[in-house]
CSV table of all heavy atoms in Angstrom, one decimal:
chain,number,residue,atom,x,y,z
E,16,ALA,N,-21.7,-1.1,-23.9
E,16,ALA,CA,-21.7,-0.6,-22.5
E,16,ALA,C,-20.3,-0.3,-22.1
E,16,ALA,O,-19.3,-1.0,-22.4
E,16,ALA,CB,-22.3,-1.7,-21.6
E,17,ILE,N,-20.2,0.8,-21.3
E,17,ILE,CA,-18.9,1.2,-20.8
E,17,ILE,C,-18.7,0.6,-19.4
E,17,ILE,O,-19.5,0.7,-18.6
E,17,ILE,CB,-18.8,2.8,-20.7
E,17,ILE,CG1,-18.9,3.4,-22.1
E,17,ILE,CG2,-17.5,3.2,-20.0
E,17,ILE,CD1,-19.0,4.9,-22.1
E,18,SER,N,-17.5,0.0,-19.2
E,18,SER,CA,-17.2,-0.6,-17.9
E,18,SER,C,-16.2,0.3,-17.2
E,18,SER,O,-15.2,0.6,-17.7
E,18,SER,CB,-16.6,-2.0,-18.2
E,18,SER,OG,-15.9,-2.4,-17.1
E,19,ILE,N,-16.6,0.6,-16.0
E,19,ILE,CA,-15.7,1.4,-15.1
E,19,ILE,C,-15.3,0.5,-14.0
E,19,ILE,O,-16.1,0.0,-13.3
E,19,ILE,CB,-16.5,2.7,-14.5
E,19,ILE,CG1,-17.0,3.6,-15.7
E,19,ILE,CG2,-15.6,3.4,-13.6
E,19,ILE,CD1,-17.9,4.7,-15.2
E,20,SER,N,-13.9,0.4,-13.9
E,20,SER,CA,-13.4,-0.4,-12.8
E,20,SER,C,-13.1,0.4,-11.6
E,20,SER,O,-12.3,1.4,-11.7
E,20,SER,CB,-12.2,-1.2,-13.3
E,20,SER,OG,-11.1,-0.4,-13.5
E,21,LEU,N,-13.7,0.1,-10.5
E,21,LEU,CA,-13.5,0.8,-9.3
E,21,LEU,C,-12.3,0.1,-8.6
E,21,LEU,O,-12.1,-1.1,-8.7
E,21,LEU,CB,-14.7,0.8,-8.4
E,21,LEU,CG,-15.9,1.5,-9.0
E,21,LEU,CD1,-17.2,1.2,-8.1
E,21,LEU,CD2,-15.7,3.0,-9.0
E,22,PRO,N,-11.6,0.9,-7.8
E,22,PRO,CA,-10.5,0.2,-7.1
E,22,PRO,C,-11.0,-0.9,-6.2
E,22,PRO,O,-12.0,-0.7,-5.6
E,22,PRO,CB,-9.8,1.3,-6.3
E,22,PRO,CG,-10.4,2.6,-6.7
E,22,PRO,CD,-11.7,2.3,-7.5
E,23,GLU,N,-10.2,-2.0,-6.1
E,23,GLU,CA,-10.6,-3.0,-5.2
E,23,GLU,C,-10.3,-2.6,-3.8
E,23,GLU,O,-9.3,-1.9,-3.5
E,23,GLU,CB,-9.7,-4.2,-5.5
E,23,GLU,CG,-10.3,-5.6,-5.4
E,23,GLU,CD,-9.3,-6.7,-5.7
E,23,GLU,OE1,-8.7,-6.6,-6.8
E,23,GLU,OE2,-9.2,-7.6,-4.9
E,24,PRO,N,-11.2,-2.9,-2.9
E,24,PRO,CA,-11.0,-2.4,-1.5
E,24,PRO,C,-9.7,-3.0,-0.9
E,24,PRO,O,-9.4,-4.2,-1.2
E,24,PRO,CB,-12.2,-2.8,-0.7
E,24,PRO,CG,-12.9,-3.9,-1.6
E,24,PRO,CD,-12.4,-3.7,-3.0
E,25,LEU,N,-9.1,-2.2,-0.1
E,25,LEU,CA,-7.9,-2.7,0.6
E,25,LEU,C,-8.3,-3.4,1.9
E,25,LEU,O,-9.2,-3.0,2.5
E,25,LEU,CB,-6.9,-1.5,0.9
E,25,LEU,CG,-6.4,-0.7,-0.2
E,25,LEU,CD1,-5.5,0.4,0.3
E,25,LEU,CD2,-5.7,-1.5,-1.2
E,26,THR,N,-7.5,-4.4,2.3
E,26,THR,CA,-7.7,-5.1,3.5
E,26,THR,C,-7.2,-4.2,4.7
E,26,THR,O,-6.5,-3.2,4.4
E,26,THR,CB,-6.9,-6.4,3.6
E,26,THR,OG1,-5.5,-6.1,3.6
E,26,THR,CG2,-7.3,-7.4,2.5
E,27,ASP,N,-7.6,-4.5,5.9
E,27,ASP,CA,-7.1,-3.7,7.0
E,27,ASP,C,-5.6,-3.6,7.1
E,27,ASP,O,-5.0,-2.6,7.3
E,27,ASP,CB,-7.7,-4.2,8.3
E,27,ASP,CG,-9.2,-4.0,8.5
E,27,ASP,OD1,-9.7,-3.2,7.7
E,27,ASP,OD2,-9.8,-4.7,9.3
E,28,ARG,N,-4.9,-4.8,6.8
E,28,ARG,CA,-3.5,-4.8,6.9
E,28,ARG,C,-2.9,-4.0,5.8
E,28,ARG,O,-1.9,-3.3,6.0
E,28,ARG,CB,-3.0,-6.3,6.8
E,28,ARG,CG,-1.5,-6.4,7.0
E,28,ARG,CD,-1.0,-5.9,8.3
E,28,ARG,NE,-0.4,-6.9,9.0
E,28,ARG,CZ,0.1,-6.7,10.3
E,28,ARG,NH1,0.0,-5.6,10.9
E,28,ARG,NH2,0.7,-7.7,10.9
E,29,GLU,N,-3.5,-4.0,4.6
E,29,GLU,CA,-3.0,-3.2,3.5
E,29,GLU,C,-3.1,-1.7,3.8
E,29,GLU,O,-2.2,-1.0,3.4
E,29,GLU,CB,-3.7,-3.6,2.2
E,29,GLU,CG,-3.3,-4.9,1.6
E,29,GLU,CD,-4.2,-5.4,0.5
E,29,GLU,OE1,-5.3,-4.9,0.3
E,29,GLU,OE2,-3.8,-6.4,-0.2
E,30,ILE,N,-4.2,-1.3,4.4
E,30,ILE,CA,-4.4,0.1,4.8
E,30,ILE,C,-3.3,0.5,5.8
E,30,ILE,O,-2.7,1.5,5.6
E,30,ILE,CB,-5.8,0.3,5.3
E,30,ILE,CG1,-6.8,0.2,4.2
E,30,ILE,CG2,-5.9,1.7,6.0
E,30,ILE,CD1,-8.2,0.1,4.7
E,31,GLU,N,-3.0,-0.4,6.7
E,31,GLU,CA,-2.0,-0.2,7.7
E,31,GLU,C,-0.6,0.1,7.0
E,31,GLU,O,0.1,1.0,7.3
E,31,GLU,CB,-1.9,-1.4,8.6
E,31,GLU,CG,-1.7,-1.1,10.1
E,31,GLU,CD,-1.7,-2.4,10.9
E,31,GLU,OE1,-2.1,-3.5,10.4
E,31,GLU,OE2,-1.4,-2.3,12.1
E,32,ILE,N,-0.3,-0.8,6.1
E,32,ILE,CA,1.0,-0.7,5.4
E,32,ILE,C,1.0,0.5,4.5
E,32,ILE,O,2.0,1.2,4.5
E,32,ILE,CB,1.2,-2.0,4.5
E,32,ILE,CG1,1.5,-3.2,5.5
E,32,ILE,CG2,2.4,-1.8,3.5
E,32,ILE,CD1,1.5,-4.6,4.8
E,33,ALA,N,-0.1,0.8,3.8
E,33,ALA,CA,-0.2,2.0,3.0
E,33,ALA,C,0.1,3.3,3.8
E,33,ALA,O,0.8,4.2,3.3
E,33,ALA,CB,-1.5,2.0,2.3
E,34,LYS,N,-0.5,3.3,5.0
E,34,LYS,CA,-0.4,4.5,5.8
E,34,LYS,C,1.0,4.7,6.2
E,34,LYS,O,1.6,5.9,6.2
E,34,LYS,CB,-1.3,4.4,7.1
E,34,LYS,CG,-2.7,4.7,6.8
E,34,LYS,CD,-3.6,4.6,8.0
E,34,LYS,CE,-5.0,4.9,7.8
E,34,LYS,NZ,-5.9,4.6,8.9
E,35,LEU,N,1.7,3.7,6.6
E,35,LEU,CA,3.1,3.8,7.0
E,35,LEU,C,4.0,4.2,5.9
E,35,LEU,O,4.9,5.0,6.0
E,35,LEU,CB,3.6,2.5,7.7
E,35,LEU,CG,2.9,2.1,9.0
E,35,LEU,CD1,3.4,0.7,9.5
E,35,LEU,CD2,3.1,3.2,10.1
E,36,ALA,N,3.7,3.6,4.7
E,36,ALA,CA,4.5,3.9,3.5
E,36,ALA,C,4.3,5.4,3.1
E,36,ALA,O,5.2,6.1,2.7
E,36,ALA,CB,4.1,3.0,2.3
E,37,ALA,N,3.0,5.8,3.3
E,37,ALA,CA,2.7,7.2,2.9
E,37,ALA,C,3.4,8.2,3.9
E,37,ALA,O,3.7,9.3,3.5
E,37,ALA,CB,1.2,7.4,3.0
E,38,GLU,N,3.6,7.8,5.1
E,38,GLU,CA,4.3,8.6,6.1
E,38,GLU,C,5.8,8.7,5.8
E,38,GLU,O,6.5,9.4,6.5
E,38,GLU,CB,4.1,8.0,7.5
E,38,GLU,CG,2.7,8.2,8.0
E,38,GLU,CD,2.5,7.5,9.3
E,38,GLU,OE1,3.4,7.0,9.9
E,38,GLU,OE2,1.3,7.4,9.8
E,39,GLY,N,6.3,7.9,4.8
E,39,GLY,CA,7.7,7.9,4.5
E,39,GLY,C,8.5,6.8,5.0
E,39,GLY,O,9.8,6.8,4.8
E,40,MET,N,7.9,5.9,5.7
E,40,MET,CA,8.7,4.7,6.2
E,40,MET,C,9.2,3.8,5.1
E,40,MET,O,8.5,3.7,4.1
E,40,MET,CB,7.9,3.9,7.2
E,40,MET,CG,7.6,4.6,8.5
E,40,MET,SD,6.6,3.6,9.6
E,40,MET,CE,7.9,2.6,10.4
E,41,ARG,N,10.4,3.3,5.2
E,41,ARG,CA,10.9,2.4,4.3
E,41,ARG,C,10.4,1.0,4.5
E,41,ARG,O,9.9,0.7,5.6
E,41,ARG,CB,12.4,2.3,4.3
E,41,ARG,CG,13.1,3.7,4.0
E,41,ARG,CD,14.6,3.6,4.2
E,41,ARG,NE,15.2,4.8,4.0
E,41,ARG,CZ,15.5,5.4,2.8
E,41,ARG,NH1,15.2,4.7,1.7
E,41,ARG,NH2,16.1,6.5,2.7
E,42,ASN,N,10.4,0.1,3.6
E,42,ASN,CA,9.9,-1.3,3.7
E,42,ASN,C,10.5,-2.0,5.0
E,42,ASN,O,9.8,-2.6,5.7
E,42,ASN,CB,10.2,-2.1,2.5
E,42,ASN,CG,9.4,-1.7,1.3
E,42,ASN,OD1,8.7,-0.8,1.3
E,42,ASN,ND2,9.5,-2.5,0.2
E,43,LYS,N,11.8,-1.8,5.2
E,43,LYS,CA,12.4,-2.4,6.4
E,43,LYS,C,11.8,-1.9,7.7
E,43,LYS,O,11.6,-2.7,8.6
E,43,LYS,CB,13.9,-2.1,6.3
E,43,LYS,CG,14.8,-2.8,7.3
E,43,LYS,CD,16.2,-2.6,7.1
E,43,LYS,CE,17.1,-3.5,8.0
E,43,LYS,NZ,18.5,-3.4,7.6
E,44,GLU,N,11.5,-0.6,7.7
E,44,GLU,CA,11.0,0.0,8.9
E,44,GLU,C,9.5,-0.5,9.1
E,44,GLU,O,9.1,-0.8,10.2
E,44,GLU,CB,11.0,1.5,8.8
E,44,GLU,CG,12.4,2.1,8.8
E,44,GLU,CD,12.4,3.6,8.4
E,44,GLU,OE1,11.7,4.0,7.4
E,44,GLU,OE2,13.2,4.3,9.0
E,45,ILE,N,8.8,-0.5,8.0
E,45,ILE,CA,7.4,-1.0,8.1
E,45,ILE,C,7.4,-2.5,8.6
E,45,ILE,O,6.6,-2.8,9.5
E,45,ILE,CB,6.7,-0.9,6.7
E,45,ILE,CG1,6.6,0.5,6.3
E,45,ILE,CG2,5.3,-1.6,6.7
E,45,ILE,CD1,6.1,0.7,4.8
E,46,ALA,N,8.3,-3.3,8.0
E,46,ALA,CA,8.4,-4.7,8.4
E,46,ALA,C,8.7,-4.8,9.9
E,46,ALA,O,8.0,-5.6,10.6
E,46,ALA,CB,9.5,-5.4,7.6
E,47,ALA,N,9.6,-4.0,10.4
E,47,ALA,CA,9.9,-4.1,11.9
E,47,ALA,C,8.7,-3.6,12.7
E,47,ALA,O,8.4,-4.2,13.8
E,47,ALA,CB,11.2,-3.2,12.1
E,48,THR,N,8.1,-2.6,12.3
E,48,THR,CA,6.9,-2.0,13.1
E,48,THR,C,5.8,-3.0,13.1
E,48,THR,O,5.2,-3.2,14.2
E,48,THR,CB,6.4,-0.7,12.4
E,48,THR,OG1,7.5,0.2,12.4
E,48,THR,CG2,5.3,-0.1,13.1
E,49,LEU,N,5.5,-3.7,12.0
E,49,LEU,CA,4.4,-4.6,12.0
E,49,LEU,C,4.7,-6.1,12.2
E,49,LEU,O,3.9,-7.0,12.0
E,49,LEU,CB,3.6,-4.4,10.6
E,49,LEU,CG,3.1,-3.0,10.4
E,49,LEU,CD1,2.4,-3.0,9.0
E,49,LEU,CD2,2.1,-2.6,11.4
E,50,PHE,N,6.0,-6.4,12.5
E,50,PHE,CA,6.5,-7.7,12.7
E,50,PHE,C,6.2,-8.6,11.5
E,50,PHE,O,5.7,-9.7,11.6
E,50,PHE,CB,5.8,-8.4,14.0
E,50,PHE,CG,6.0,-7.5,15.2
E,50,PHE,CD1,5.0,-6.7,15.7
E,50,PHE,CD2,7.3,-7.6,15.9
E,50,PHE,CE1,5.3,-6.0,16.8
E,50,PHE,CE2,7.5,-6.8,17.0
E,50,PHE,CZ,6.5,-6.0,17.5
E,51,LEU,N,6.6,-8.1,10.3
E,51,LEU,CA,6.5,-8.8,9.1
E,51,LEU,C,7.9,-8.9,8.4
E,51,LEU,O,8.8,-8.2,8.9
E,51,LEU,CB,5.6,-8.0,8.1
E,51,LEU,CG,4.1,-7.8,8.5
E,51,LEU,CD1,3.5,-6.8,7.6
E,51,LEU,CD2,3.4,-9.1,8.5
E,52,SER,N,8.0,-9.7,7.4
E,52,SER,CA,9.3,-9.8,6.7
E,52,SER,C,9.3,-8.6,5.7
E,52,SER,O,8.2,-8.1,5.3
E,52,SER,CB,9.5,-11.1,6.0
E,52,SER,OG,8.6,-11.2,4.9
E,53,GLU,N,10.4,-8.2,5.3
E,53,GLU,CA,10.5,-7.1,4.3
E,53,GLU,C,9.9,-7.6,3.0
E,53,GLU,O,9.2,-6.8,2.3
E,53,GLU,CB,12.0,-6.8,4.0
E,53,GLU,CG,12.5,-5.5,4.6
E,53,GLU,CD,13.9,-5.2,4.2
E,53,GLU,OE1,14.8,-5.7,4.9
E,53,GLU,OE2,14.1,-4.4,3.2
E,54,ARG,N,10.0,-8.8,2.6
E,54,ARG,CA,9.4,-9.4,1.4
E,54,ARG,C,7.9,-9.3,1.5
E,54,ARG,O,7.3,-9.0,0.5
E,54,ARG,CB,9.9,-10.8,1.2
E,54,ARG,CG,9.4,-11.4,-0.1
E,54,ARG,CD,10.0,-12.7,-0.4
E,54,ARG,NE,9.6,-13.2,-1.7
E,54,ARG,CZ,10.4,-13.0,-2.8
E,54,ARG,NH1,11.5,-12.4,-2.7
E,54,ARG,NH2,9.9,-13.5,-4.0
E,55,THR,N,7.3,-9.6,2.6
E,55,THR,CA,5.9,-9.5,2.8
E,55,THR,C,5.4,-8.1,2.5
E,55,THR,O,4.4,-7.8,1.8
E,55,THR,CB,5.4,-10.0,4.2
E,55,THR,OG1,5.8,-11.4,4.3
E,55,THR,CG2,3.9,-9.8,4.4
E,56,VAL,N,6.1,-7.1,3.1
E,56,VAL,CA,5.8,-5.7,3.0
E,56,VAL,C,5.9,-5.3,1.5
E,56,VAL,O,5.0,-4.7,0.9
E,56,VAL,CB,6.7,-4.8,3.8
E,56,VAL,CG1,6.5,-3.3,3.5
E,56,VAL,CG2,6.4,-5.0,5.3
E,57,SER,N,6.9,-5.7,0.8
E,57,SER,CA,7.1,-5.5,-0.6
E,57,SER,C,6.0,-6.0,-1.4
E,57,SER,O,5.4,-5.4,-2.3
E,57,SER,CB,8.5,-6.0,-1.0
E,57,SER,OG,8.7,-5.8,-2.4
E,58,ASN,N,5.6,-7.3,-1.1
E,58,ASN,CA,4.5,-7.9,-1.9
E,58,ASN,C,3.2,-7.2,-1.6
E,58,ASN,O,2.4,-7.0,-2.6
E,58,ASN,CB,4.4,-9.4,-1.5
E,58,ASN,CG,5.6,-10.3,-2.0
E,58,ASN,OD1,6.3,-9.8,-2.9
E,58,ASN,ND2,5.8,-11.4,-1.4
E,59,ARG,N,3.0,-6.9,-0.4
E,59,ARG,CA,1.7,-6.2,-0.1
E,59,ARG,C,1.6,-4.8,-0.8
E,59,ARG,O,0.6,-4.4,-1.3
E,59,ARG,CB,1.6,-6.0,1.5
E,59,ARG,CG,1.3,-7.3,2.2
E,59,ARG,CD,-0.1,-7.8,2.0
E,59,ARG,NE,-0.4,-8.9,2.8
E,59,ARG,CZ,-1.1,-8.9,3.9
E,59,ARG,NH1,-1.7,-7.8,4.4
E,59,ARG,NH2,-1.3,-10.0,4.6
E,60,LEU,N,2.8,-4.1,-0.8
E,60,LEU,CA,2.8,-2.8,-1.5
E,60,LEU,C,2.5,-3.0,-3.0
E,60,LEU,O,1.8,-2.2,-3.6
E,60,LEU,CB,4.1,-2.1,-1.2
E,60,LEU,CG,4.2,-1.4,0.1
E,60,LEU,CD1,5.6,-0.9,0.4
E,60,LEU,CD2,3.2,-0.2,0.2
E,61,TYR,N,3.1,-4.0,-3.5
E,61,TYR,CA,2.8,-4.3,-5.0
E,61,TYR,C,1.3,-4.5,-5.2
E,61,TYR,O,0.7,-3.9,-6.1
E,61,TYR,CB,3.6,-5.5,-5.4
E,61,TYR,CG,3.3,-5.9,-6.8
E,61,TYR,CD1,3.9,-5.2,-7.9
E,61,TYR,CD2,2.4,-6.9,-7.1
E,61,TYR,CE1,3.7,-5.6,-9.2
E,61,TYR,CE2,2.1,-7.3,-8.4
E,61,TYR,CZ,2.8,-6.6,-9.5
E,61,TYR,OH,2.5,-6.9,-10.8
E,62,THR,N,0.7,-5.3,-4.3
E,62,THR,CA,-0.7,-5.5,-4.4
E,62,THR,C,-1.5,-4.3,-4.2
E,62,THR,O,-2.5,-4.0,-5.0
E,62,THR,CB,-1.2,-6.6,-3.4
E,62,THR,OG1,-0.4,-7.8,-3.6
E,62,THR,CG2,-2.7,-6.9,-3.4
E,63,ILE,N,-1.1,-3.4,-3.3
E,63,ILE,CA,-1.8,-2.2,-3.0
E,63,ILE,C,-1.8,-1.3,-4.2
E,63,ILE,O,-2.8,-0.7,-4.7
E,63,ILE,CB,-1.2,-1.5,-1.8
E,63,ILE,CG1,-1.5,-2.2,-0.5
E,63,ILE,CG2,-1.7,0.0,-1.7
E,63,ILE,CD1,-0.6,-1.8,0.7
E,64,PHE,N,-0.6,-1.2,-4.8
E,64,PHE,CA,-0.4,-0.3,-6.0
E,64,PHE,C,-1.3,-0.8,-7.2
E,64,PHE,O,-1.9,0.0,-7.9
E,64,PHE,CB,1.1,-0.3,-6.5
E,64,PHE,CG,2.0,0.6,-5.6
E,64,PHE,CD1,1.7,0.8,-4.3
E,64,PHE,CD2,3.1,1.2,-6.2
E,64,PHE,CE1,2.5,1.6,-3.5
E,64,PHE,CE2,3.9,2.0,-5.5
E,64,PHE,CZ,3.6,2.3,-4.1
E,65,GLN,N,-1.4,-2.2,-7.3
E,65,GLN,CA,-2.2,-2.8,-8.4
E,65,GLN,C,-3.7,-2.4,-8.1
E,65,GLN,O,-4.4,-2.0,-9.0
E,65,GLN,CB,-2.0,-4.3,-8.4
E,65,GLN,CG,-0.6,-4.7,-8.8
E,65,GLN,CD,-0.3,-4.4,-10.2
E,65,GLN,OE1,-1.0,-4.7,-11.1
E,65,GLN,NE2,0.8,-3.7,-10.4
E,66,LYS,N,-4.1,-2.6,-6.9
E,66,LYS,CA,-5.5,-2.4,-6.5
E,66,LYS,C,-5.9,-0.9,-6.8
E,66,LYS,O,-7.0,-0.6,-7.2
E,66,LYS,CB,-5.8,-2.8,-5.1
E,66,LYS,CG,-5.9,-4.2,-4.8
E,66,LYS,CD,-6.2,-4.5,-3.4
E,66,LYS,CE,-6.5,-5.9,-3.0
E,66,LYS,NZ,-6.9,-6.1,-1.6
E,67,LEU,N,-5.0,0.0,-6.4
E,67,LEU,CA,-5.3,1.4,-6.5
E,67,LEU,C,-4.9,2.0,-7.9
E,67,LEU,O,-5.2,3.2,-8.1
E,67,LEU,CB,-4.6,2.2,-5.4
E,67,LEU,CG,-4.9,1.8,-4.0
E,67,LEU,CD1,-4.1,2.6,-3.0
E,67,LEU,CD2,-6.4,1.9,-3.7
E,68,ASN,N,-4.3,1.2,-8.7
E,68,ASN,CA,-3.8,1.6,-10.0
E,68,ASN,C,-2.9,2.8,-9.9
E,68,ASN,O,-3.1,3.9,-10.6
E,68,ASN,CB,-5.1,2.0,-10.9
E,68,ASN,CG,-4.7,2.0,-12.4
E,68,ASN,OD1,-3.7,1.4,-12.8
E,68,ASN,ND2,-5.4,2.8,-13.1
E,69,ILE,N,-1.9,2.7,-9.0
E,69,ILE,CA,-0.9,3.8,-8.9
E,69,ILE,C,0.5,3.2,-9.1
E,69,ILE,O,0.6,1.9,-9.1
E,69,ILE,CB,-1.0,4.5,-7.5
E,69,ILE,CG1,-0.8,3.4,-6.3
E,69,ILE,CG2,-2.4,5.2,-7.3
E,69,ILE,CD1,-0.7,4.1,-4.9
E,70,ASP,N,1.5,4.0,-9.2
E,70,ASP,CA,2.8,3.5,-9.4
E,70,ASP,C,3.9,4.1,-8.5
E,70,ASP,O,5.1,3.9,-8.7
E,70,ASP,CB,3.2,3.5,-10.8
E,70,ASP,CG,3.2,4.9,-11.5
E,70,ASP,OD1,3.0,5.8,-10.7
E,70,ASP,OD2,3.3,4.9,-12.7
E,71,ARG,N,3.5,5.0,-7.6
E,71,ARG,CA,4.5,5.6,-6.7
E,71,ARG,C,3.9,5.8,-5.3
E,71,ARG,O,2.7,6.0,-5.2
E,71,ARG,CB,5.2,6.8,-7.2
E,71,ARG,CG,4.3,7.8,-7.8
E,71,ARG,CD,5.1,9.0,-8.4
E,71,ARG,NE,5.8,8.7,-9.6
E,71,ARG,CZ,5.3,8.7,-10.8
E,71,ARG,NH1,4.1,9.0,-11.0
E,71,ARG,NH2,6.1,8.4,-11.8
E,72,ARG,N,4.8,5.8,-4.3
E,72,ARG,CA,4.3,6.0,-2.9
E,72,ARG,C,3.7,7.3,-2.7
E,72,ARG,O,2.7,7.4,-1.9
E,72,ARG,CB,5.5,5.8,-2.0
E,72,ARG,CG,6.0,4.4,-1.8
E,72,ARG,CD,7.2,4.4,-0.9
E,72,ARG,NE,7.7,3.0,-0.8
E,72,ARG,CZ,7.8,2.3,0.4
E,72,ARG,NH1,7.6,2.9,1.5
E,72,ARG,NH2,8.2,1.1,0.3
E,73,SER,N,4.1,8.3,-3.4
E,73,SER,CA,3.5,9.7,-3.2
E,73,SER,C,2.0,9.7,-3.5
E,73,SER,O,1.3,10.4,-2.9
E,73,SER,CB,4.2,10.7,-4.0
E,73,SER,OG,4.2,10.4,-5.4
E,74,GLU,N,1.6,8.8,-4.4
E,74,GLU,CA,0.2,8.7,-4.7
E,74,GLU,C,-0.6,8.1,-3.6
E,74,GLU,O,-1.9,8.2,-3.6
E,74,GLU,CB,0.0,7.9,-6.0
E,74,GLU,CG,0.6,8.7,-7.2
E,74,GLU,CD,0.5,7.8,-8.5
E,74,GLU,OE1,-0.6,7.9,-9.2
E,74,GLU,OE2,1.4,7.1,-8.8
E,75,LEU,N,0.0,7.3,-2.7
E,75,LEU,CA,-0.7,6.8,-1.6
E,75,LEU,C,-1.3,7.9,-0.7
E,75,LEU,O,-2.3,7.8,-0.2
E,75,LEU,CB,0.3,5.9,-0.7
E,75,LEU,CG,0.6,4.5,-1.2
E,75,LEU,CD1,1.7,3.9,-0.4
E,75,LEU,CD2,-0.6,3.6,-1.2
E,76,VAL,N,-0.5,8.9,-0.5
E,76,VAL,CA,-0.9,10.1,0.3
E,76,VAL,C,-2.2,10.6,-0.2
E,76,VAL,O,-3.2,10.8,0.5
E,76,VAL,CB,0.2,11.2,0.3
E,76,VAL,CG1,-0.3,12.4,1.1
E,76,VAL,CG2,1.5,10.6,0.9
E,77,ASP,N,-2.3,10.8,-1.6
E,77,ASP,CA,-3.5,11.3,-2.2
E,77,ASP,C,-4.7,10.4,-1.9
E,77,ASP,O,-5.8,10.8,-1.6
E,77,ASP,CB,-3.4,11.5,-3.7
E,77,ASP,CG,-2.3,12.5,-4.1
E,77,ASP,OD1,-2.0,13.4,-3.2
E,77,ASP,OD2,-1.7,12.4,-5.1
E,78,PHE,N,-4.5,9.1,-2.1
E,78,PHE,CA,-5.5,8.1,-1.9
E,78,PHE,C,-6.0,8.1,-0.4
E,78,PHE,O,-7.2,8.1,-0.1
E,78,PHE,CB,-5.1,6.7,-2.3
E,78,PHE,CG,-6.1,5.7,-1.9
E,78,PHE,CD1,-7.2,5.5,-2.7
E,78,PHE,CD2,-6.0,4.9,-0.8
E,78,PHE,CE1,-8.2,4.6,-2.4
E,78,PHE,CE2,-6.9,4.0,-0.4
E,78,PHE,CZ,-8.0,3.8,-1.2
E,79,LEU,N,-5.1,8.1,0.5
E,79,LEU,CA,-5.4,8.1,1.9
E,79,LEU,C,-6.1,9.3,2.5
E,79,LEU,O,-6.7,9.3,3.5
E,79,LEU,CB,-4.2,7.7,2.8
E,79,LEU,CG,-3.6,6.3,2.5
E,79,LEU,CD1,-2.2,6.2,3.1
E,79,LEU,CD2,-4.6,5.2,3.0
E,80,ASN,N,-5.9,10.4,1.8
E,80,ASN,CA,-6.5,11.7,2.2
E,80,ASN,C,-7.9,11.9,1.7
E,80,ASN,O,-8.5,12.9,1.9
E,80,ASN,CB,-5.6,12.9,1.8
E,80,ASN,CG,-4.4,12.9,2.7
E,80,ASN,OD1,-4.4,12.5,3.8
E,80,ASN,ND2,-3.3,13.5,2.2
E,81,LYS,N,-8.4,10.9,0.9
E,81,LYS,CA,-9.8,11.0,0.4
E,81,LYS,C,-10.8,10.7,1.4
E,81,LYS,O,-10.6,10.0,2.3
E,81,LYS,CB,-10.0,10.0,-0.8
E,81,LYS,CG,-9.3,10.5,-2.0
E,81,LYS,CD,-9.5,9.6,-3.2
E,81,LYS,CE,-8.8,10.0,-4.4
E,81,LYS,NZ,-8.9,9.1,-5.5
């Protein structure tokens, strides 16, 4: 049997962070906007990239436009 892994759904907060990153905001700006630490934003982006199986911010735009 062939197993197809679908992307794990993003949490509301991850979607929020992904949208801001896709708009070109830097981690520091996202952190200030959402009242988070830069490290939290960095960790969340890492998780988002893992869940979506992507490796660059530009790919977030493609995902969010689906």
Side-chain angles (χ1 to χ4, degrees):
I17 297 173
S18 161
I19 298 170
S20 68
L21 297 171
E23 213 180 310
L25 299 180
T26 65
D27 290 342
R28 186 58 124 182
E29 287 168 345
I30 291 169
E31 223 176 349
I32 291 170
K34 284 180 179 174
L35 295 175
E38 289 171 9
M40 289 180 86
R41 299 179 184 279
N42 288 5
K43 187 174 190 171
E44 297 168 317
I45 296 169
T48 301
L49 300 179
F50 304 102
L51 300 170
S52 72
E53 254 183 278
R54 184 173 186 95
T55 298
V56 171
S57 177
N58 290 342
R59 290 286 185 104
L60 280 170
Y61 176 80
T62 301
I63 291 165
F64 282 31
Q65 295 294 307
K66 284 183 175 184
L67 301 180
N68 197 26
I69 60 174
D70 58 9
R71 46 181 71 85
R72 286 176 183 235
S73 60
E74 293 176 88
L75 282 172
V76 178
D77 296 335
F78 174 78
L79 293 168
N80 288 331
K81 286 183 181 175

